[in-house]
Amino acid sequence: MYNIRKITEDLFLVGANDRRLSLFEGVYPVPIGVSYNSYLLLDEKTVLLDTADKAVHHQFMENVIKALNGRNLDYLIINHMEPDHCAEIPSLLKKFPNVKLVCNTKIQTMLKQFFDFEIAEDQIILVKEGDTLNTGRHNLTFVFAPMVHWPEVMVTYDTTDKILFSADAFGTFGAIDGNIYADEVDFDHRYMDEARRYYTNIVGKYGPQVQALLKKASGLDIKMICPLHGFIWRKDLDKYIDKYMKWSTYTPEIQSVLIPYASVYGGTQNAAEILGAKLAELGVKDIKICDTSVTDASYIIADAFKYSHIVFASTTYNNGIFVSMENLLHDIVAHNLQNRKIAIIENGSWAPVSGKLMTDLVSQLKNVEIIGNKVSLKSTLKENQIEELEALAKAIVDTMSL
Ligand code: FEO
């Protein structure tokens, strides 16, 4: 049965949730699901903004057809060609063969890459930055947002109702549980962590490009943001935009310490736990310790964007870094984390090398300062090394603004 949500007099949410997907993009766990948002504008012309993932085919098509209420579909605006939003284009073309596809040249190229169907040249309306499509009462302007999150991405701004259709930007993991507006849920407690995990893992690498979009958006009078995942924003936009400013400039949200550790038999974990205790005794709040073999890397990456200080603690394994820590560090480097203070604890029962190797990896990050002396364990922490951990805790706290 259709499930359509009215946003304004002539704008409807026609997307759907996937609550059974285990790994978004084949890599990110989504334990509270994900929504694929699609928006239908019923003006003098009818306009669909993006489609949906193939996993929600039936719900999506049923919604679109019902919401159109017998009208034809005049335009499909394609803001993003990732298949979680474009997979239903073939179904839509089958149902509405005369629909005009509104897109840019990069999207046109990707249409040919992803699909084999023939599209007549006159069925495509190519737009450039700043072009406007009039649909009757509404004027829709196209703003290019390359690398947020793919190169072809654009966002659409409805100058009539001041609505920004923001593609992946301002989205979050998490299905929509009835409430479609961020101000109708306890966003900070229920969804902010998932929003951060979504942003940092999906577009975290492209901070400067997100900054470019934020700069363009700052010139627009925006009353509502309609992203392709998660909730619609109509209140407290500044609060969420401020988060995006922090994340895209790699600015820590809190002065505190994240301690990801990799431990085979508990020796390294023990040092991480004692360091956490020493930091707490020095007044550090909200310390977070996590086992890289247990906590999925996407959660640790999100926290790495949140915390000002990170202590990486790993045993040596196969003359290298323990595999779950090594993968995490490569992931962090790939996500372009910057502006952090980092400390290192290593372990190795006969030839500890993980400290040097971890230092080499994190040294690739921009504006990273290695603080304190590396603590090097041989199998387990010894009584006379407690002082080393205390010194490390003090060196960390000395660089914090508590
Ligand atoms: Fe939600 Fe980049 O696709």
Side-chain angles (χ1 to χ4, degrees), residues 80 82 84-85 149 168 229:
H80 185 14
E82 195 165 11
D84 54 334
H85 309 296
H149 126 247
D168 275 341
H229 300 286

Side-chain angles (χ1 to χ4, degrees), residues 24-25 36 80 82 84-85 149-150 153 168 198 202 228-229:
F24 184 79
E25 293 188 357
Y36 303 112
H80 185 14
E82 195 165 11
D84 54 334
H85 309 296
H149 126 247
W150 279 13
V153 170
D168 275 341
Y198 168 83
I202 304 288
L228 288 176
H229 300 286

Side-chain angles (χ1 to χ4, degrees), residues 4-78:
I4 303 160
R5 306 303 302 274
K6 188 173 181 178
I7 300 168
T8 66
E9 280 308 306
D10 54 7
L11 181 66
F12 300 84
L13 177 61
V14 290
N17 293 319
D18 187 348
R19 297 177 189 273
R20 285 199 162 178
L21 181 67
S22 54
L23 295 174
F24 184 79
E25 293 188 357
V27 63
Y28 306 118
V30 278
I32 58 170
V34 63
S35 77
Y36 303 112
N37 299 350
S38 170
Y39 300 94
L40 182 66
L41 183 64
L42 298 180
D43 201 359
E44 287 173 24
K45 298 288 186 183
T46 58
V47 186
L48 188 70
L49 292 112
D50 293 292
T51 68
D53 190 272
K54 64 180 186 299
V56 297
H57 165 77
H58 290 290
Q59 183 75 73
F60 166 73
M61 287 302 293
E62 200 170 355
N63 286 351
V64 172
I65 290 164
K66 178 67 184 177
L68 280 167
N69 194 25
R71 295 181 67 183
N72 196 13
L73 182 64
D74 296 309
Y75 297 114
L76 168 65
I77 294 174
I78 307 169

